[in-house]
Amino acid sequence: MNGTNFEDERRGGELAKAIAAGGKIEIPAGEYAVRSTLLIGSETEITADKNAHIYCADGSCTSPDSFLLANSDPVSGNTHIKITGGIWDGNNVNNHRRGGIFDLDSNCGHLLRFVNVAGLEIHDVVCKNSESYNITLCCVDGFDISGVTFVSDVLTPNQDGVHLAGCCENGMIEHL
């Protein structure tokens, strides 16, 4: 599904399939409710319109390994992932941590999570309503993050902007 453009119906399931297929994905303006983590693989580039609102549907993102977007292979690793534009929304009002910040059986509240990635770019995105960390990087080599805006309608503990969880190198973060 390289070069995918979405029609007006804008289904979150179609978006998940396109992102899983990889390649170049264009997301036009619209609403995209997703029910499970969007998994992005190697050699994938997402370009979203500034009015593309990609969000966790009510009652989703409830398990400890739930995120709005994450790389598909944190064990063996992914390469060359690029995300530009869009509003990425955790919808924390309807997806909060059930037992508070120390409930290990509840969601961790991370919005965008990348583990074991070589070559990651994130530009001109809006991270909105995370339950905790907006962007988490761990074991990421070669990253460029710029032009990120953070918006929280409801404040919760640990709403870090960009959280470097360790072993990150050769990167730049600017214009947050």
Side-chain angles (χ1 to χ4, degrees):
M1 298 182 84
N2 292 338
T4 300
N5 283 298
F6 294 91
E7 309 263 344
D8 272 352
E9 194 160 45
R10 317 239 194 281
R11 299 281 185 225
E14 293 176 17
L15 178 61
K17 288 177 189 173
I19 291 173
K24 292 188 180 214
I25 296 112
E26 295 179 18
I27 308 172
E31 299 288 321
Y32 302 86
V34 297
R35 298 215 165 269
S36 59
T37 303
L38 296 170
L39 295 174
I40 186 169
S42 297
E43 311 301 325
T44 301
E45 180 176 337
I46 297 173
T47 303
D49 183 275
K50 68 179 183 174
N51 294 310
H53 182 214
I54 304 105
Y55 63 97
C56 290
D58 294 359
S60 64
C61 299
T62 58
S63 67
D65 58 350
S66 295
F67 315 100
L68 180 53
L69 178 71
N71 63 298
S72 63
D73 192 352
V75 175
S76 296
N78 292 103
T79 60
H80 302 105
I81 294 173
K82 183 176 182 181
I83 301 150
T84 304
I87 302 164
W88 300 85
D89 186 343
N91 185 17
N92 66 348
V93 169
N94 297 302
N95 294 306
H96 57 86
R97 289 173 278 194
R98 295 179 304 264
I101 63 174
F102 299 110
D103 182 356
L104 299 179
D105 294 322
S106 185
N107 75 32
C108 63
H110 299 203
L111 193 58
L112 309 178
R113 184 172 182 261
F114 301 96
V115 176
N116 197 10
V117 175
L120 173 67
E121 293 183 50
I122 302 173
H123 303 289
D124 304 319
V125 300
V126 174
C127 291
K128 185 174 182 180
N129 298 322
S130 69
E131 183 66 6
S132 66
Y133 304 154
N134 283 276
I135 300 172
T136 301
L137 307 182
C138 183
C139 300
V140 175
D141 186 4
F143 58 93
D144 184 357
I145 300 172
S146 67
V148 178
T149 301
F150 302 105
V151 177
S152 293
D153 297 331
V154 176
L155 296 176
T156 60
N158 297 336
Q159 281 180 319
D160 290 14
V162 178
H163 180 80
L164 302 178
C167 301
C168 296
E169 57 189 14
N170 301 313
M172 181 183 324
I173 301 171
E174 61 183 352
H175 306 296
L176 303 179

